[in-house]
Amino acid sequence: MHERHGIGKKTHRLKPKVQAFKLLKVFLLYLSMHNTALGRDAAMSVYTDLSLQEMQDFSEQFDFGGLKSFQGVEAGVENTTYFVSFNQAETVLQIFEEQGFDEVPFFIELNRRLSKDQVPVATPFANKFGDRLFTIKGKPAALFERVRGSTVCPISADACRQIGEALGKIHAVTQTYQDLRRENHRWSNWWESNVDRVIDLTPKDHRTTLKDQVDRSREFVESTASLPQGIIHGDLFCDNALFHNGQLAGIIDFYNACDGCLLFDLAITINDWCSLPTGRLFAETTAALVDGYNRFRPLTTEEIARWPLASETAALRFWMLRLVALARRREGGPQAPPHVKDPNDFLNILIARRADPQCDLISG
Amino acid sequence: MHERHGIGKKTHRLKPKVQAFKLLKVFLLYLSMHNTALGRDAAMSVYTDLSLQEMQDFSEQFDFGGLKSFQGVEAGVENTTYFVSFNQAETVLQIFEEQGFDEVPFFIELNRRLSKDQVPVATPFANKFGDRLFTIKGKPAALFERVRGSTVCPISADACRQIGEALGKIHAVTQTYQDLRRENHRWSNWWESNVDRVIDLTPKDHRTTLKDQVDRSREFVESTASLPQGIIHGDLFCDNALFHNGQLAGIIDFYNACDGCLLFDLAITINDWCSLPTGRLFAETTAALVDGYNRFRPLTTEEIARWPLASETAALRFWMLRLVALARRREGGPQAPPHVKDPNDFLNILIARRADPQCDLISG
């Protein structure tokens, strides 16, 4: 029952005869004239529309046996994302709506090197001429391998161990990527300058928590100069990791990656993967994630000592991110986000860490 | 930046002129001859291949403004699944590889009625003639609304409350679906007949646990005659619920739905959504799920008293399911599953429930 049925058991490379090829061209032209491109998705998050003709033109520079199908993806909230199937490769096309030609090469090169260094990420593909950065309708674009897998649910200790290992690997191997640099745009300057904008959106009895935490986190930020630095993912939440048959298949969405404090990146990751709905850390998953991490980059004694403030600061960072999104929604305009996740998820985590940072789970 | 760019800002209904339509037909014929259908996916789980011509033929019976694109989906492991985009509807085509024409109408009708009764599920679409059951290459097929959303991760108490409400609604409204019946094929007869097949695949020190639990669960199964019965989902795990902007958008995959004990269905759901990696229940999410459930179908005193055995039996059912899958893989053949999830996830839950069923979380 589980075998493949019917015609077309194998994929074949398109070998158009001249006559048929002319027909194809006319058909494509017809489609684009009538604006009914097969494969264009009407989802809100496809910002840059591509017709079949345009996708066909783009795809011809790749040696993947010809275009098979494509579809716009809803998941991307900042960039335009298409799943593009070639006869010999499954790919993801990213058209960058926010970042410019000066920034995108960082993401492409980071993924390329990580992939080469055996970290499970989406490899960026080169065209026939060796290029990996493309221009589509005046915007930068890249074509990545499509990672096969799905998010893990519910979160297991084994998944956390694998995530810890992958993050440890990322932090270890990127130490050699000395020429890859990107500034952290959402560090203390960013959240400090946004406190007044969001203060009335925070629960009344936690406005002092916000202000006090900003002070505490300033102390942490100033201390990070003496902590290990490198390239951080910045957003390794559980919806950015795809698993296949129980194995981590790929970490995606490096668009928040930048230079930063490695312990802060670990804290961001642990806060999402290992927090219970109360905000407290769950012992088994936290220990597994830290164990996995230590295999590739052992935490230093100083880092372990800085865990409480790192963890609070990571919670503050995402509390502020959601509060600012709420503020942007209130302010309106074309860039106002239609939906904002509940900021209180991170307030709960912050309160729990301030009450008890559970250091024993980090020190092992 | 977030507005849609370029041509094709709106979708248009295909209005072919005669000449262009002939070209289209020739092109489609050309494609099918050369077996390079746009939109056919090479993924392993697409068992029934459809060419563009075949999908075009199928799609013409629907009033959705014409076919736009389609793509095979990897996620379906038992059925063939295609995402099919029309100009006016996003749909999911299911071609049933396991169930026959005698069984599929149950799934279609169940989803149709639940949708009508305001339960968030995928509505099955009728064609121009009012039919909802179709035949594709000799197999039964149905076309469902494509639920917009993704699985929730990490699991929150709020998500659990919504799942409890939806399950309570399902159990309440299906009480009136007296003519919809489907036997439970994997009830005690099924697991009892499989014990010998899997016993050597269980950890040595838990073989007596398995045999003892089968006895305990026989007692539970015999007692269910006096407990509320109805239609159960049977597999309401967190990968079968899609959320959009924090709201439950749809429960999917009713292909294990059948007649059964409602408390058993609740126990299946709680075991997946509310168990910690240790196997124990997490208090906050469990209480939220039960609260939500009670809003639509309050548990009876007798059900609350039967919780310990119901919960153990639900764990046994899925422990056995994975053990049998392991056995099938060992036995080989074309139906052997390539990957089996770890049976010990449910052994851990079973051990935890037997040690402490945490009844206080169920009785409220």
Side-chain angles (χ1 to χ4, degrees):
Chain A
M1 291 293 276
H2 277 218
E3 289 169 279
R4 293 157 62 79
H5 297 83
I7 66 162
K9 288 188 183 174
K10 295 173 189 170
T11 57
H12 293 260
R13 184 166 175 155
L14 187 65
K15 289 176 191 163
K17 294 167 190 164
V18 175
Q19 191 62 23
F21 193 71
K22 280 183 185 163
L23 277 172
L24 173 68
K25 286 280 182 192
V26 174
F27 172 64
L28 295 177
L29 188 65
Y30 166 78
L31 272 182
S32 64
M33 280 166 56
H34 286 77
N35 210 2
T36 60
L38 287 156
R40 202 183 57 233
D41 195 280
M44 285 301 290
S45 63
V46 180
Y47 303 115
T48 303
D49 271 320
L50 290 187
S51 68
L52 177 56
Q53 176 68 72
E54 288 163 336
M55 189 64 90
Q56 189 83 40
D57 288 348
F58 172 74
S59 70
E60 278 170 6
Q61 65 191 301
F62 299 96
D63 269 333
F64 295 142
L67 180 65
K68 200 167 62 174
S69 69
F70 67 102
Q71 191 162 44
V73 180
E74 290 188 17
V77 288
E78 292 183 347
N79 298 326
T80 296
T81 306
Y82 283 96
F83 288 156
V84 184
S85 300
F86 293 83
N87 282 301
Q88 294 163 7
E90 295 292 332
T91 71
V92 178
L93 173 64
Q94 290 278 356
I95 305 173
F96 294 86
E97 307 287 346
E98 305 264 347
Q99 289 100 352
F101 284 92
D102 53 334
E103 290 202 278
V104 171
F106 170 85
F107 306 127
I108 295 174
E109 186 60 13
L110 177 59
N111 275 280
R112 190 189 70 78
R113 294 194 198 177
L114 287 173
S115 178
K116 215 175 148 210
D117 284 335
Q118 313 294 324
V119 182
V121 299
T123 313
F125 287 124
N127 67 7
K128 296 171 183 172
F129 315 106
D131 303 321
R132 289 186 175 81
L133 172 65
F134 312 109
T135 304
I136 294 182
K137 301 198 174 183
K139 295 168 196 165
L143 189 75
F144 294 93
E145 166 194 15
R146 181 168 171 188
V147 176
R148 187 180 172 182
S150 52
T151 55
V152 67
C153 169
I155 292 168
S156 64
D158 182 56
C160 287
R161 180 178 306 279
Q162 293 184 57
I163 286 298
E165 289 173 352
L167 187 64
K169 261 193 220 177
I170 291 172
H171 288 176
V173 300
T174 54
Q175 294 297 313
T176 64
Y177 305 173
Q178 289 299 330
D179 54 318
L180 275 189
R181 298 267 71 92
R182 182 170 183 250
E183 194 190 336
N184 187 344
H185 296 297
R186 285 172 178 162
W187 196 223
S188 53
N189 285 347
W190 172 79
W191 64 67
E192 289 182 7
S193 68
N194 274 294
V195 169
D196 290 344
R197 188 181 182 188
V198 304
I199 192 71
D200 66 317
L201 291 167
T202 62
K204 274 209 175 67
D205 47 345
H206 284 294
R207 291 181 185 170
T208 53
T209 309
L210 177 58
K211 295 196 169 180
D212 179 62
Q213 187 58 47
V214 165
D215 289 339
R216 286 171 68 85
S217 289
R218 185 177 304 125
E219 184 198 325
F220 171 71
V221 166
E222 284 164 4
S223 79
T224 56
S226 66
L227 293 174
Q229 305 281 319
I231 295 179
I232 67 174
H233 181 285
D235 194 29
L236 185 39
F237 279 39
C238 56
D239 49 1
N240 284 331
L242 304 179
F243 287 74
H244 184 64
N245 290 347
Q247 296 303 305
L248 177 61
I251 291 174
I252 59 173
D253 194 351
F254 278 78
Y255 307 119
N256 292 287
C258 60
D259 302 328
C261 165
L262 303 183
L263 176 66
F264 178 68
D265 205 19
L266 178 65
I268 289 173
T269 308
I270 288 176
N271 277 353
D272 185 63
W273 287 81
C274 307
S275 294
L276 295 167
T278 55
R280 274 181 66 80
L281 293 173
F282 183 61
E284 193 181 346
T285 51
T286 310
L289 201 153
V290 173
D291 271 1
Y293 186 85
N294 278 325
R295 280 193 56 206
F296 291 91
R297 196 193 72 85
L299 289 169
T300 67
T301 313
E302 191 186 349
E303 285 181 304
I304 292 169
R306 304 302 287 173
W307 165 256
L309 276 180
S311 175
E312 290 172 19
T313 303
L316 170 68
R317 157 76 168 71
F318 283 89
W319 187 25
M320 282 300 296
L321 199 68
R322 292 188 179 178
L323 286 170
V324 168
L326 272 188
R328 285 174 55 213
R329 191 174 66 172
R330 177 174 59 179
E331 291 153 15
Q335 291 194 45
H339 174 75
V340 178
K341 290 184 179 173
D342 189 356
N344 291 332
D345 295 346
F346 284 97
L347 173 57
N348 289 340
I349 290 174
L350 180 59
I351 292 169
R353 292 295 172 284
R354 285 164 61 112
D356 175 8
Q358 297 173 269
C359 296
D360 55 312
L361 299 177
I362 308 303
S363 57
Chain B
M1 291 292 278
H2 277 218
E3 288 168 279
R4 294 157 62 78
H5 296 83
I7 66 163
K9 288 188 183 174
K10 295 174 189 170
T11 57
H12 293 261
R13 186 168 174 152
L14 187 66
K15 289 176 191 164
K17 294 168 191 165
V18 176
Q19 191 62 22
F21 193 71
K22 279 183 186 163
L23 277 172
L24 174 68
K25 285 280 181 191
V26 174
F27 172 64
L28 295 176
L29 188 64
Y30 166 78
L31 272 182
S32 65
M33 280 166 58
H34 286 76
N35 210 2
T36 60
L38 286 157
R40 202 182 56 233
D41 194 281
M44 285 301 291
S45 63
V46 179
Y47 303 115
T48 302
D49 272 320
L50 290 187
S51 67
L52 177 57
Q53 176 67 73
E54 288 163 337
M55 189 64 90
Q56 189 83 41
D57 288 347
F58 172 74
S59 71
E60 278 170 7
Q61 65 191 300
F62 299 95
D63 269 333
F64 295 142
L67 180 65
K68 200 167 62 174
S69 69
F70 66 102
Q71 191 162 44
V73 179
E74 289 188 17
V77 288
E78 292 184 347
N79 298 326
T80 296
T81 305
Y82 283 96
F83 288 156
V84 183
S85 300
F86 293 83
N87 282 301
Q88 294 164 6
E90 295 293 332
T91 71
V92 178
L93 172 64
Q94 290 279 355
I95 305 173
F96 294 86
E97 307 287 346
E98 304 263 348
Q99 289 101 352
F101 284 92
D102 53 334
E103 290 202 278
V104 171
F106 169 85
F107 306 126
I108 295 174
E109 186 60 13
L110 177 58
N111 275 280
R112 190 188 70 79
R113 294 194 198 176
L114 287 173
S115 178
K116 215 175 147 210
D117 284 335
Q118 312 295 323
V119 182
V121 299
T123 313
F125 287 124
N127 67 7
K128 296 172 184 172
F129 316 106
D131 303 321
R132 289 186 175 81
L133 173 64
F134 312 109
T135 304
I136 293 181
K137 301 198 174 183
K139 295 168 196 165
L143 189 75
F144 294 93
E145 167 194 14
R146 181 168 171 188
V147 176
R148 186 179 173 183
S150 52
T151 55
V152 68
C153 168
I155 292 169
S156 64
D158 182 57
C160 287
R161 179 178 306 278
Q162 293 184 56
I163 286 298
E165 289 173 351
L167 187 64
K169 260 193 221 177
I170 291 172
H171 288 176
V173 300
T174 55
Q175 293 296 313
T176 63
Y177 305 173
Q178 289 298 332
D179 55 318
L180 275 189
R181 298 267 71 92
R182 183 169 182 250
E183 194 190 337
N184 187 343
H185 296 297
R186 284 171 178 162
W187 197 222
S188 53
N189 284 347
W190 172 79
W191 64 66
E192 289 183 6
S193 68
N194 274 295
V195 169
D196 290 345
R197 188 181 182 188
V198 304
I199 192 71
D200 67 317
L201 291 167
T202 62
K204 273 208 176 68
D205 46 344
H206 285 294
R207 291 181 186 169
T208 54
T209 309
L210 177 58
K211 295 197 170 180
D212 179 62
Q213 186 58 48
V214 165
D215 289 339
R216 286 170 67 85
S217 290
R218 185 177 303 124
E219 184 198 324
F220 171 71
V221 166
E222 283 163 5
S223 79
T224 56
S226 66
L227 293 174
Q229 306 281 319
I231 295 179
I232 67 174
H233 182 284
D235 195 28
L236 185 40
F237 279 39
C238 56
D239 49 2
N240 284 331
L242 304 180
F243 288 74
H244 184 63
N245 291 347
Q247 296 303 305
L248 177 61
I251 291 174
I252 58 173
D253 194 352
F254 278 80
Y255 307 118
N256 291 287
C258 59
D259 303 327
C261 165
L262 303 183
L263 176 65
F264 178 67
D265 205 19
L266 178 64
I268 288 173
T269 308
I270 288 176
N271 278 353
D272 185 63
W273 287 81
C274 307
S275 294
L276 295 167
T278 55
R280 274 181 67 80
L281 292 174
F282 183 62
E284 194 182 347
T285 51
T286 310
L289 201 153
V290 173
D291 270 1
Y293 186 85
N294 278 325
R295 280 193 55 207
F296 291 91
R297 197 194 71 86
L299 289 169
T300 67
T301 313
E302 192 186 349
E303 284 181 305
I304 292 169
R306 304 303 286 173
W307 165 256
L309 277 180
S311 175
E312 291 172 19
T313 303
L316 171 68
R317 156 77 168 69
F318 283 89
W319 187 25
M320 282 299 296
L321 199 68
R322 292 188 179 178
L323 287 170
V324 168
L326 272 189
R328 285 174 54 213
R329 191 174 66 172
R330 178 174 60 179
E331 291 153 15
Q335 291 194 44
H339 174 75
V340 178
K341 290 183 179 173
D342 189 356
N344 291 332
D345 295 346
F346 284 97
L347 172 57
N348 289 340
I349 290 174
L350 180 60
I351 292 168
R353 293 294 173 285
R354 285 164 62 112
D356 175 8
Q358 298 172 268
C359 296
D360 55 312
L361 298 177
I362 309 302
S363 58

